[in-house]
Every structure is written in structure tokens, then in C-alpha cells.
Amino acid sequence: SRLGPTFQSPNLTQLILVGCEPDAWARDVSRLTQLGWSVASLAVFDFFPQTHHVEALAQLRMPSALV
């Protein structure tokens, strides 16, 4: 994965991932969890209620940072 070296730094313990395209967002979360990240919290927002658009936000942490 192209994300590997960047998102496996020992100094990086938390990420906030925001997306407005559910398929791409789910793909990115899947790739990050394969690298060892865990979803600590998740929220979905409907800023445009008259449309099909939704925004998703996830807080991801490395397991060692959960302590």
C-alpha cells in the first residue's frame, strides 16, 4: 500500500479521517486498519439533508496509543 510508510511512523498515534464519498472513505479506513490502525470513534453527518450526500468522520488510533 502506498500509505504504508507514512502511516506507520512510531510518532503518529492518532488520525482523523473525514470523507464525503462513502466508498472511498470505507476503502481508506479498510487500508488503514490493515496497517494496524483501530477505529476509536465514528460519526456521520448529514449537512445537506435534501441530497444523498453524507459526511463521515473517524478517529483512528494505533493500538499502543489506546492506553
Side-chain angles (χ1 to χ4, degrees):
S1 168
R2 293 184 340 204
L3 297 175
T6 301
F7 292 100
Q8 290 181 314
S9 167
N11 297 324
L12 187 61
T13 60
Q14 179 173 263
L15 290 174
I16 302 296
L17 183 66
V18 179
C20 60
E21 174 57 47
D23 292 337
W25 186 86
R27 179 203 62 220
D28 294 344
V29 169
S30 175
R31 288 179 179 170
L32 289 165
T33 58
Q34 290 172 7
L35 293 173
W37 291 91
S38 297
V39 176
S41 63
L42 172 65
V44 178
F45 302 93
D46 187 5
F47 291 126
F48 306 101
Q50 303 305 317
T51 71
H52 66 280
H53 297 283
V54 295
E55 291 68 42
L57 180 141
Q59 178 188 25
L60 294 105
R61 293 185 181 162
M62 285 304 270
S64 59
L66 293 175
V67 178

